Amino acid sequence: MAYPDPQSRSARLYERAQRSIPDGASRSLLLVRPYPIYVDRGDGAWVYDVDGRRYLDVNNNFTSIILGHADPVVNEAVAGQLGRGTGFALATEAEIELAELLCDRVPSIERIRFANSGTEAVMGAIKAARAFTGRPMIVKLEGAYHGTYDHVETSLGAGPENWGDAEAPTSVPYAVGAPPSVSEEVAVLPFNNPAAARSIIDRCGDKLAAVLIDTMPSRVGLPDPDPEFFQAVFAAARAVGALVIVDEVITFRLGLAGNQGRLGLEPDLTALAKIIGGGYPVGAIGGRADVMEVFASRDGERAAVPAGGTFSANPVTMVAGRACMAQLTEASFARLEAVGDRVRIGLRGLFAALGLPWQVTGAGSLFRIHPHDRLIVSYRDAHLRPDEMAVMDRLQKRLLEREVYLPGYGLGCLNLATTDNDADHLIHAFGSALPLVA
Ligand SMILES: Cc1ncc(COP(=O)(O)O)c(C=O)c1O
């Protein structure tokens, strides 16, 4: 089949969608241009579209699916809950069970509160840090994505025309209409640069509430992290009395205690989402008991940071999350590492055989394709030029025609249902697509 195909049912559904939804879909990143593939169902590592075609899913709903689509154990847990009701303005034991599982697994998480998305989790962590320290500013990584909260969007789309000094990046607004005060309250840090981390954090001094980092940021290119960078961030934050928030919304899929477990980090606060909901909408803020106390209302007093949410900790998400997370063992993460290595090593071999100066970065079930040979240390190295973006766009279309769905920006994510044969299917698809696009 060819993509695009104006006669396809997906193309026709997209025409219809645009009459009621701006841009035809509620998630801007969802789109494969000129029209998205409309899914009928997913099963394990594969998704099936409304035209009867199948694709190896190398996106996994933006990294939120870890076991595979339609996991039977998660489905059974959800079905059990559906018969008992889907949401109450009262508490359920299911919330405690998922909270206990996560607190038991992650040493830095002494207490946890649930929300509905990663955006809310990051926002809640920042509000907690501000309340705890009584300070307004945050520091974040240049180019890193943390959801759609104004402050954390700063410098998400920075480019050569506005990113400024590499050692002290400019805070660049993202969404049109973000108030100027947002950029003033956010300082931006280049990933993997310990000296810059020290000086930028130091300069914020006693105005700084928290440093927000992702230990393997996808938009920064999934570069190998430099341990010295984390030491510098933690030490500099402690020295000025600021907290460290680690966004593990994606990286929690790298190990039983997330990537902080692999790296031996103990942040003050952690933002979680995606896999911990077992495929359902979720977010969570976890961390030190004394900091998390800002969410508690004692003796009828209002909490320092009131946090609600009609669907926060809803029992469907809670039982799905627990059914998913309880199935994950050390062996699961070893398997994800093995299948991820198979893809990374296979693609590197392919690039070499084709004489292409391309790279693949990543760890565990995550990988990212780079259509160039710049050494990837930080966001600016991974930032694609317009001609490189055009290559990636062509690659995505040729891969769709070969039964592989990879997002256009080249971030790949594998789930546990992915077999070695599936991984080889992916490599073969690249093998026949690349000569057409590179
Ligand atoms: C690292 C990171 N943080 C936060 C978010 C926001 O999560 P959500 O889409 O659930 O709001 C994302 C989403 O992709 C993410 O990748």
Side-chain angles (χ1 to χ4, degrees):
M1 76 104 190
Y3 181 91
D5 172 3
Q7 299 312 317
S8 64
R9 182 133 198 269
S10 281
R12 282 181 281 124
L13 282 172
Y14 185 57
E15 267 173 42
R16 182 176 142 203
Q18 287 173 93
R19 284 181 232 129
S20 53
I21 309 167
D23 210 14
S26 299
R27 299 188 286 177
S28 42
L29 282 174
L30 183 70
L31 296 181
V32 181
R33 303 279 176 186
Y35 63 85
I37 303 292
Y38 280 81
V39 172
D40 175 44
R41 68 190 174 88
D43 182 13
W46 293 79
V47 291
Y48 299 82
D49 76 6
V50 291
D51 289 290
R53 296 168 185 144
R54 65 170 203 161
Y55 309 89
L56 181 69
D57 186 4
V58 195
N59 179 314
N60 281 295
N61 194 24
F62 295 110
T63 77
S64 63
I65 303 286
I66 192 163
L67 298 170
H69 292 288
D71 177 74
V73 177
V74 173
N75 282 353
E76 199 186 322
V78 169
Q81 185 61 45
L82 291 181
R84 293 156 57 216
T86 58
F88 317 98
L90 294 163
T92 64
E93 193 172 348
E95 176 181 3
I96 309 173
E97 288 180 341
L98 184 57
E100 285 172 349
L101 184 151
L102 293 167
C103 290
D104 285 349
R105 278 205 187 158
V106 187
S108 75
I109 299 184
E110 294 174 330
R111 301 283 188 277
I112 192 162
R113 294 268 296 213
F114 292 103
N116 300 296
S117 67
T119 297
E120 276 182 55
V122 171
M123 180 180 71
I126 290 172
K127 288 175 79 168
R130 286 187 175 138
F132 187 76
T133 59
R135 301 167 170 193
M137 281 191 76
I138 62 161
V139 165
K140 70 155 301 230
L141 300 172
E142 185 173 42
Y145 184 68
H146 298 282
T148 55
Y149 172 55
D150 285 335
H151 287 77
V152 300
E153 285 186 331
T154 303
S155 290
L156 176 58
E161 67 290 355
N162 58 15
W163 60 26
D165 183 352
E167 299 288 312
T170 305
S171 296
V172 181
Y174 187 65
V176 174
S181 58
V182 168
S183 310
E184 285 158 23
E185 283 161 359
V186 181
V188 175
L189 205 65
F191 191 61
N192 270 341
N193 185 333
R198 281 185 212 100
S199 78
I200 291 167
I201 293 170
D202 209 43
R203 219 172 310 132
C204 297
D206 65 7
K207 290 198 171 51
L208 187 62
V211 184
L212 169 67
I213 56 170
D214 179 332
T215 54
M216 199 177 258
S218 63
R219 299 275 188 101
V220 176
L222 289 188
D224 284 338
D226 172 2
E228 205 196 319
F229 174 68
F230 300 126
Q231 282 160 18
V233 165
F234 276 73
R238 302 264 183 270
V240 299
L243 304 186
V244 177
I245 303 170
V246 172
D247 179 342
E248 292 251 39
V249 167
I250 289 186
T251 55
F252 206 56
R253 64 184 296 125
L254 291 176
L256 213 48
N259 209 29
Q260 59 184 268
R262 288 162 61 121
L263 296 166
L265 301 177
E266 288 233 5
D268 303 295
L269 291 169
T270 298
L272 297 173
K274 304 215 191 234
I275 66 164
I276 66 159
Y280 290 78
V282 77
I285 306 137
R288 270 169 47 189
D290 58 340
V291 180
M292 292 295 291
E293 200 60 21
V294 299
F295 293 112
S297 51
R298 298 266 175 244
D299 306 322
E301 294 275 310
R302 191 176 70 201
V305 181
T310 304
F311 290 101
S312 293
N314 78 83
V316 177
T317 295
M318 295 296 105
V319 298
R322 184 159 182 278
C324 170
M325 298 308 292
Q327 289 183 71
L328 296 176
T329 61
E330 290 289 5
S332 320
F333 293 100
R335 167 64 198 158
L336 287 169
E337 193 80 49
V339 73
D341 278 343
R342 192 177 181 96
V343 166
R344 283 183 289 271
I345 292 165
L347 289 178
R348 281 179 196 134
L350 187 66
F351 298 155
L354 293 172
L356 281 179
W358 286 35
Q359 305 172 65
V360 51
T361 52
S365 53
L366 299 170
F367 64 94
R368 187 166 157 179
I369 310 295
H370 305 271
H372 57 76
D373 59 0
R374 296 187 288 281
L375 177 66
I376 295 161
V377 177
S378 200
Y379 170 66
R380 298 185 186 195
D381 312 311
H383 188 265
L384 296 183
R385 299 189 312 243
D387 58 312
E388 293 166 340
M389 279 195 270
V391 169
M392 292 304 290
D393 184 61
R394 289 201 295 276
L395 175 66
Q396 185 193 42
K397 293 183 169 68
R398 301 296 80 82
L399 287 175
L400 279 174
E401 292 166 353
R402 288 160 179 76
E403 299 188 331
V404 170
Y405 170 47
L406 177 80
Y409 54 99
L411 175 69
C413 171
L414 306 166
N415 70 41
L416 262 174
T418 312
T419 63
D420 286 354
N421 278 345
D422 294 332
D424 294 345
H425 168 85
L426 174 77
I427 295 160
H428 289 137
F430 267 84
S432 72
L434 279 171
L436 305 175
V437 302

CSV table of all heavy atoms in Angstrom, one decimal, residues 27 29 61-64 116-122 144-148 152 213-214 216-219 247-251 271-274 281-283 409 411, ligand 1:
chain,number,residue,atom,x,y,z
A,27,ARG,N,-4.6,15.9,19.6
A,27,ARG,CA,-3.2,15.8,20.0
A,27,ARG,C,-2.4,16.2,18.8
A,27,ARG,O,-2.3,15.4,17.8
A,27,ARG,CB,-2.8,14.4,20.5
A,27,ARG,CG,-3.6,14.0,21.7
A,27,ARG,CD,-3.1,12.7,22.3
A,27,ARG,NE,-3.4,11.6,21.4
A,27,ARG,CZ,-3.0,10.3,21.7
A,27,ARG,NH1,-2.3,10.1,22.7
A,27,ARG,NH2,-3.4,9.3,20.9
A,29,LEU,N,0.7,16.1,18.2
A,29,LEU,CA,1.7,15.2,17.8
A,29,LEU,C,1.2,13.9,17.2
A,29,LEU,O,2.0,13.0,16.7
A,29,LEU,CB,2.6,14.8,19.0
A,29,LEU,CG,3.6,15.9,19.4
A,29,LEU,CD1,4.3,15.5,20.7
A,29,LEU,CD2,4.6,16.1,18.3
A,61,ASN,N,1.6,4.6,22.1
A,61,ASN,CA,0.9,5.7,22.7
A,61,ASN,C,1.9,6.6,23.4
A,61,ASN,O,1.8,6.9,24.6
A,61,ASN,CB,-0.3,5.3,23.5
A,61,ASN,CG,-1.1,6.6,23.8
A,61,ASN,OD1,-1.1,7.5,23.1
A,61,ASN,ND2,-1.9,6.5,24.9
A,62,PHE,N,2.9,7.1,22.7
A,62,PHE,CA,3.8,8.1,23.2
A,62,PHE,C,4.5,7.5,24.5
A,62,PHE,O,4.6,8.2,25.5
A,62,PHE,CB,3.2,9.4,23.5
A,62,PHE,CG,2.8,10.1,22.2
A,62,PHE,CD1,1.5,10.3,21.9
A,62,PHE,CD2,3.8,10.6,21.3
A,62,PHE,CE1,1.1,11.0,20.7
A,62,PHE,CE2,3.4,11.2,20.1
A,62,PHE,CZ,2.1,11.4,19.8
A,63,THR,N,4.9,6.2,24.4
A,63,THR,CA,5.6,5.5,25.5
A,63,THR,C,4.8,5.1,26.7
A,63,THR,O,5.4,4.8,27.7
A,63,THR,CB,6.9,6.3,25.9
A,63,THR,OG1,6.5,7.3,26.8
A,63,THR,CG2,7.7,6.8,24.8
A,64,SER,N,3.5,5.1,26.6
A,64,SER,CA,2.7,4.8,27.8
A,64,SER,C,2.3,3.3,27.9
A,64,SER,O,1.9,2.9,29.0
A,64,SER,CB,1.4,5.7,27.9
A,64,SER,OG,0.6,5.3,26.8
A,116,ASN,N,-4.0,13.2,36.6
A,116,ASN,CA,-4.5,12.6,35.4
A,116,ASN,C,-3.6,12.6,34.2
A,116,ASN,O,-3.9,12.0,33.2
A,116,ASN,CB,-5.8,13.3,34.9
A,116,ASN,CG,-6.8,13.2,36.0
A,116,ASN,OD1,-7.3,12.1,36.3
A,116,ASN,ND2,-7.2,14.4,36.6
A,117,SER,N,-2.4,13.3,34.3
A,117,SER,CA,-1.5,13.3,33.2
A,117,SER,C,-0.1,13.7,33.7
A,117,SER,O,0.0,14.2,34.8
A,117,SER,CB,-2.0,14.4,32.2
A,117,SER,OG,-1.8,15.7,32.8
A,118,GLY,N,0.8,13.5,32.8
A,118,GLY,CA,2.2,13.9,33.1
A,118,GLY,C,2.3,15.4,33.2
A,118,GLY,O,3.1,15.9,34.1
A,119,THR,N,1.5,16.1,32.4
A,119,THR,CA,1.5,17.6,32.5
A,119,THR,C,1.1,18.0,34.0
A,119,THR,O,1.8,18.8,34.6
A,119,THR,CB,0.5,18.2,31.5
A,119,THR,OG1,0.9,17.9,30.2
A,119,THR,CG2,0.4,19.7,31.7
A,120,GLU,N,0.1,17.4,34.5
A,120,GLU,CA,-0.4,17.7,35.8
A,120,GLU,C,0.6,17.3,36.9
A,120,GLU,O,0.8,18.0,37.9
A,120,GLU,CB,-1.7,17.0,36.1
A,120,GLU,CG,-2.9,17.7,35.6
A,120,GLU,CD,-4.1,16.8,36.1
A,120,GLU,OE1,-4.3,16.5,37.3
A,120,GLU,OE2,-4.9,16.5,35.2
A,121,ALA,N,1.3,16.2,36.6
A,121,ALA,CA,2.3,15.7,37.6
A,121,ALA,C,3.5,16.7,37.7
A,121,ALA,O,3.9,17.1,38.8
A,121,ALA,CB,2.8,14.3,37.2
A,122,VAL,N,4.0,17.2,36.6
A,122,VAL,CA,5.1,18.1,36.6
A,122,VAL,C,4.6,19.4,37.2
A,122,VAL,O,5.3,20.0,38.0
A,122,VAL,CB,5.6,18.3,35.1
A,122,VAL,CG1,6.6,19.5,35.1
A,122,VAL,CG2,6.2,17.0,34.6
A,144,ALA,N,13.8,20.3,26.5
A,144,ALA,CA,13.1,19.1,27.1
A,144,ALA,C,11.6,19.3,27.2
A,144,ALA,O,11.2,20.4,27.4
A,144,ALA,CB,13.7,18.9,28.5
A,145,TYR,N,10.9,18.3,26.9
A,145,TYR,CA,9.4,18.3,27.0
A,145,TYR,C,8.9,17.8,28.3
A,145,TYR,O,9.4,16.7,28.8
A,145,TYR,CB,8.8,17.4,25.8
A,145,TYR,CG,7.3,17.5,25.8
A,145,TYR,CD1,6.7,18.6,25.4
A,145,TYR,CD2,6.5,16.4,26.1
A,145,TYR,CE1,5.3,18.7,25.3
A,145,TYR,CE2,5.1,16.5,26.1
A,145,TYR,CZ,4.5,17.6,25.7
A,145,TYR,OH,3.2,17.7,25.6
A,146,HIS,N,8.0,18.6,28.9
A,146,HIS,CA,7.5,18.1,30.2
A,146,HIS,C,6.0,18.3,30.2
A,146,HIS,O,5.4,18.5,31.3
A,146,HIS,CB,8.1,19.0,31.4
A,146,HIS,CG,9.6,18.8,31.5
A,146,HIS,ND1,10.2,17.7,32.1
A,146,HIS,CD2,10.6,19.6,31.2
A,146,HIS,CE1,11.5,17.9,32.1
A,146,HIS,NE2,11.8,19.0,31.5
A,147,GLY,N,5.3,18.4,29.1
A,147,GLY,CA,3.9,18.6,29.0
A,147,GLY,C,3.6,20.0,28.6
A,147,GLY,O,4.5,20.8,28.1
A,148,THR,N,2.3,20.4,28.8
A,148,THR,CA,1.9,21.7,28.2
A,148,THR,C,1.6,22.8,29.3
A,148,THR,O,0.9,23.8,29.0
A,148,THR,CB,0.6,21.4,27.4
A,148,THR,OG1,-0.4,20.8,28.3
A,148,THR,CG2,0.8,20.6,26.2
A,152,VAL,N,7.0,25.1,31.8
A,152,VAL,CA,7.9,24.0,31.4
A,152,VAL,C,8.0,23.9,29.9
A,152,VAL,O,8.8,23.2,29.3
A,152,VAL,CB,7.5,22.6,32.0
A,152,VAL,CG1,7.6,22.7,33.5
A,152,VAL,CG2,6.2,22.2,31.5
A,213,ILE,N,14.7,18.2,35.9
A,213,ILE,CA,15.5,17.5,34.9
A,213,ILE,C,14.8,16.2,34.4
A,213,ILE,O,13.9,15.7,35.1
A,213,ILE,CB,16.9,17.1,35.3
A,213,ILE,CG1,16.9,16.3,36.6
A,213,ILE,CG2,17.8,18.4,35.5
A,213,ILE,CD1,18.2,15.7,37.0
A,214,ASP,N,15.2,15.8,33.2
A,214,ASP,CA,14.8,14.5,32.7
A,214,ASP,C,16.1,13.8,32.5
A,214,ASP,O,17.0,14.4,31.9
A,214,ASP,CB,14.0,14.6,31.4
A,214,ASP,CG,13.6,13.3,30.8
A,214,ASP,OD1,14.3,12.3,31.0
A,214,ASP,OD2,12.6,13.3,30.1
A,216,MET,N,17.0,11.3,30.7
A,216,MET,CA,17.2,10.9,29.3
A,216,MET,C,16.2,11.5,28.4
A,216,MET,O,15.2,10.9,27.9
A,216,MET,CB,17.2,9.3,29.1
A,216,MET,CG,17.9,9.0,27.9
A,216,MET,SD,18.1,7.2,27.6
A,216,MET,CE,19.8,7.0,28.1
A,217,PRO,N,16.3,12.8,28.2
A,217,PRO,CA,15.2,13.6,27.6
A,217,PRO,C,15.1,13.2,26.1
A,217,PRO,O,16.1,13.3,25.4
A,217,PRO,CB,15.6,15.0,27.8
A,217,PRO,CG,17.0,15.1,28.2
A,217,PRO,CD,17.4,13.7,28.7
A,218,SER,N,13.9,12.9,25.7
A,218,SER,CA,13.7,12.4,24.3
A,218,SER,C,13.9,13.5,23.3
A,218,SER,O,14.6,13.3,22.3
A,218,SER,CB,12.3,11.9,24.1
A,218,SER,OG,11.3,12.9,24.3
A,219,ARG,N,13.4,14.7,23.5
A,219,ARG,CA,13.6,15.8,22.6
A,219,ARG,C,15.0,16.4,22.5
A,219,ARG,O,15.4,17.1,21.7
A,219,ARG,CB,12.6,17.0,22.9
A,219,ARG,CG,11.2,16.7,22.9
A,219,ARG,CD,10.6,16.8,21.5
A,219,ARG,NE,9.2,16.7,21.6
A,219,ARG,CZ,8.3,17.7,21.5
A,219,ARG,NH1,8.8,18.9,21.4
A,219,ARG,NH2,7.0,17.5,21.6
A,247,ASP,N,11.8,14.3,36.2
A,247,ASP,CA,10.6,13.9,35.4
A,247,ASP,C,10.9,12.5,34.8
A,247,ASP,O,11.7,12.3,34.0
A,247,ASP,CB,10.5,14.9,34.2
A,247,ASP,CG,9.3,14.6,33.3
A,247,ASP,OD1,8.8,13.4,33.4
A,247,ASP,OD2,8.8,15.5,32.6
A,248,GLU,N,10.2,11.5,35.4
A,248,GLU,CA,10.4,10.1,35.0
A,248,GLU,C,9.1,9.7,34.2
A,248,GLU,O,8.8,8.5,34.1
A,248,GLU,CB,10.6,9.2,36.2
A,248,GLU,CG,11.9,9.4,36.9
A,248,GLU,CD,12.9,8.3,36.7
A,248,GLU,OE1,13.0,7.7,35.6
A,248,GLU,OE2,13.5,7.9,37.7
A,249,VAL,N,8.4,10.6,33.6
A,249,VAL,CA,7.2,10.3,32.9
A,249,VAL,C,7.5,9.3,31.8
A,249,VAL,O,6.7,8.3,31.6
A,249,VAL,CB,6.5,11.6,32.3
A,249,VAL,CG1,5.5,11.3,31.3
A,249,VAL,CG2,6.0,12.4,33.5
A,250,ILE,N,8.6,9.5,31.0
A,250,ILE,CA,9.0,8.4,30.1
A,250,ILE,C,10.0,7.5,30.7
A,250,ILE,O,9.9,6.2,30.5
A,250,ILE,CB,9.6,9.1,28.8
A,250,ILE,CG1,8.5,9.8,28.0
A,250,ILE,CG2,10.3,8.0,27.9
A,250,ILE,CD1,9.0,10.4,26.7
A,251,THR,N,11.0,8.0,31.4
A,251,THR,CA,12.1,7.1,31.8
A,251,THR,C,11.8,6.1,32.8
A,251,THR,O,12.6,5.2,33.1
A,251,THR,CB,13.3,8.0,32.3
A,251,THR,OG1,12.8,8.8,33.3
A,251,THR,CG2,13.9,8.9,31.1
A,271,ALA,N,8.2,13.2,39.0
A,271,ALA,CA,6.9,13.2,38.3
A,271,ALA,C,6.8,11.9,37.5
A,271,ALA,O,7.7,11.5,36.8
A,271,ALA,CB,6.9,14.4,37.3
A,272,LEU,N,5.6,11.3,37.7
A,272,LEU,CA,5.4,10.0,37.0
A,272,LEU,C,4.1,10.1,36.1
A,272,LEU,O,3.3,11.0,36.4
A,272,LEU,CB,5.2,8.9,38.0
A,272,LEU,CG,6.4,8.5,38.9
A,272,LEU,CD1,5.9,7.5,39.9
A,272,LEU,CD2,7.5,7.9,38.0
A,273,ALA,N,4.0,9.3,35.1
A,273,ALA,CA,2.7,9.2,34.3
A,273,ALA,C,2.9,8.0,33.4
A,273,ALA,O,3.6,7.0,33.8
A,273,ALA,CB,2.5,10.5,33.6
A,274,LYS,N,2.2,8.0,32.3
A,274,LYS,CA,2.3,7.0,31.2
A,274,LYS,C,2.2,5.5,31.8
A,274,LYS,O,1.1,5.1,32.1
A,274,LYS,CB,3.6,7.2,30.5
A,274,LYS,CG,3.7,8.6,29.9
A,274,LYS,CD,4.3,8.7,28.6
A,274,LYS,CE,4.6,10.1,28.1
A,274,LYS,NZ,4.1,10.5,26.9
A,281,PRO,N,-5.4,7.1,31.4
A,281,PRO,CA,-4.8,8.4,31.7
A,281,PRO,C,-4.4,8.5,33.2
A,281,PRO,O,-5.1,8.2,34.1
A,281,PRO,CB,-6.0,9.4,31.5
A,281,PRO,CG,-7.0,8.6,30.7
A,281,PRO,CD,-6.8,7.2,31.1
A,282,VAL,N,-3.1,9.0,33.4
A,282,VAL,CA,-2.6,9.1,34.8
A,282,VAL,C,-1.5,10.0,34.9
A,282,VAL,O,-0.8,10.4,33.9
A,282,VAL,CB,-2.1,7.6,35.2
A,282,VAL,CG1,-0.8,7.3,34.6
A,282,VAL,CG2,-2.0,7.5,36.7
A,283,GLY,N,-1.2,10.5,36.1
A,283,GLY,CA,0.0,11.2,36.5
A,283,GLY,C,0.2,11.0,38.0
A,283,GLY,O,-0.8,10.6,38.7
A,409,TYR,N,9.4,12.3,14.5
A,409,TYR,CA,10.7,12.9,15.0
A,409,TYR,C,11.7,11.8,15.4
A,409,TYR,O,12.7,12.1,16.0
A,409,TYR,CB,10.4,13.9,16.2
A,409,TYR,CG,9.5,13.3,17.3
A,409,TYR,CD1,10.1,12.8,18.5
A,409,TYR,CD2,8.1,13.2,17.2
A,409,TYR,CE1,9.3,12.2,19.5
A,409,TYR,CE2,7.3,12.7,18.1
A,409,TYR,CZ,7.9,12.2,19.3
A,409,TYR,OH,7.2,11.6,20.3
A,411,LEU,N,11.6,9.1,17.6
A,411,LEU,CA,11.7,8.5,18.9
A,411,LEU,C,10.9,7.1,18.8
A,411,LEU,O,9.7,7.1,18.5
A,411,LEU,CB,11.0,9.3,20.0
A,411,LEU,CG,11.0,8.6,21.3
A,411,LEU,CD1,12.4,8.5,21.9
A,411,LEU,CD2,10.1,9.4,22.3
B,1,LIG,C1,9.1,13.6,29.8
B,1,LIG,C2,7.6,14.0,29.8
B,1,LIG,N1,7.1,14.7,30.8
B,1,LIG,C3,5.8,15.0,30.8
B,1,LIG,C4,5.0,14.7,29.7
B,1,LIG,C5,3.5,15.1,29.8
B,1,LIG,O1,2.7,13.9,30.0
B,1,LIG,P1,1.2,13.9,29.5
B,1,LIG,O2,1.2,13.8,28.0
B,1,LIG,O3,0.6,12.7,30.2
B,1,LIG,O4,0.6,15.2,30.0
B,1,LIG,C6,5.5,13.9,28.7
B,1,LIG,C7,4.6,13.5,27.6
B,1,LIG,O5,5.0,13.0,26.6
B,1,LIG,C8,6.9,13.6,28.7
B,1,LIG,O6,7.4,12.9,27.7
